[in-house]
Amino acid sequence: QVQVEESGGGLAQPGGSLRLSCAASGSIFSLNAMGWYRQIPGKQRELVAQVRSDGTTTYTDSVKGRFTISKHNTKSTAYLQMDNLKPEDTAVYYCNAIVEPDPRRIPYDFWGQGTQVTVSS
């Protein structure tokens, strides 16, 4: 019964910025991690950024120094601030939440619907 909803995609020029939001809701006993994957045409899906429950973060090398992931614990919400966008950032971005929905403590992956990010002049 967990829902993951993301928003904030759109069109940006090279060097511009976008901010993605992702909210997990429903039956959440424990939220272990939230992050974004992106699907680039002709390539495998890749993890862009992830923030875990202890606040530690992971970024793929290509976005380090340009993207920042953060979270709001009480709202089960994460944000991806994307600065200095490049054309190669163009992709569909999918929010991912790793959730334990009940006290059985079994983790499941839940996914947002995807949002298109296009970087072009």
Side-chain angles (χ1 to χ4, degrees):
Q1 303 109 334
V2 176
Q3 292 77 232
V4 178
E5 299 181 354
E6 67 176 307
S7 61
L11 176 65
Q13 293 187 331
S17 297
L18 290 170
R19 182 177 174 88
L20 305 183
S21 299
C22 179
S25 61
S27 181
I28 301 175
F29 182 80
S30 179
L31 180 60
N32 294 347
M34 296 185 72
W36 275 267
Y37 289 73
R38 65 185 179 189
Q39 188 77 51
I40 299 172
K43 295 184 177 182
Q44 294 187 164
R45 183 187 65 181
E46 68 170 342
L47 175 66
V48 179
Q50 183 184 67
V51 58
R52 291 167 288 279
S53 59
D54 63 0
T56 58
T57 58
T58 299
Y59 298 92
T60 191
D61 285 344
S62 64
V63 308
K64 289 180 179 177
R66 300 188 297 119
F67 292 8
T68 303
I69 189 169
S70 60
K71 65 173 181 174
H72 192 300
N73 290 330
T74 60
K75 296 172 63 177
S76 299
T77 301
Y79 307 92
L80 185 66
Q81 179 67 42
M82 304 186 293
D83 296 320
N84 193 22
L85 285 162
K86 301 178 180 180
E88 49 263 46
D89 295 319
T90 296
V92 178
Y93 285 70
Y94 296 92
C95 183
N96 169 253
I98 302 174
V99 173
E100 298 172 1
D102 58 51
R104 292 178 292 175
R105 308 303 298 267
I106 302 171
Y108 296 91
D109 280 296
F110 295 89
W111 295 89
Q113 76 284 356
T115 185
Q116 177 71 46
V117 171
T118 301
V119 184
S120 176
S121 59

